[in-house]
Amino acid sequence: GILPVPPLRGFGGWGWLLPLLHLPFAFYQVRKLWRTDGVDLNPMLGVTARLALHYGILLALGVGFWP
């Protein structure tokens, strides 16, 4: 995907970059997903949901509470 880079002036600072801290974990999970097939993919659904939850929490914290 493409990471949009909005102008930082008047956007709330650098807080929206906080979810990027989760990027290494996401890359690890994608590599693991590519190497897995069949029934072994079922646990990856939970990992994907957890990844989305963590991303959302970090984004909310970064945008809502970062100066």
Side-chain angles (χ1 to χ4, degrees):
I2 297 174
L3 177 66
V5 181
L8 294 177
R9 186 178 175 151
F11 188 69
W14 293 92
W16 62 276
L17 291 173
L18 191 60
L20 293 179
L21 294 174
H22 210 275
L23 203 55
F25 180 71
F27 282 140
Y28 171 76
Q29 292 304 324
V30 168
R31 281 189 14 229
K32 190 174 174 183
L33 178 71
W34 286 341
R35 296 177 182 160
T36 308
D37 62 343
V39 179
D40 295 331
L41 285 171
N42 288 337
M44 294 298 293
L45 290 172
V47 172
T48 303
R50 197 170 24 245
L51 185 68
L53 175 68
H54 292 164
Y55 178 86
I57 289 171
L58 287 173
L59 183 62
L61 289 174
V63 171
F65 298 110
W66 199 276

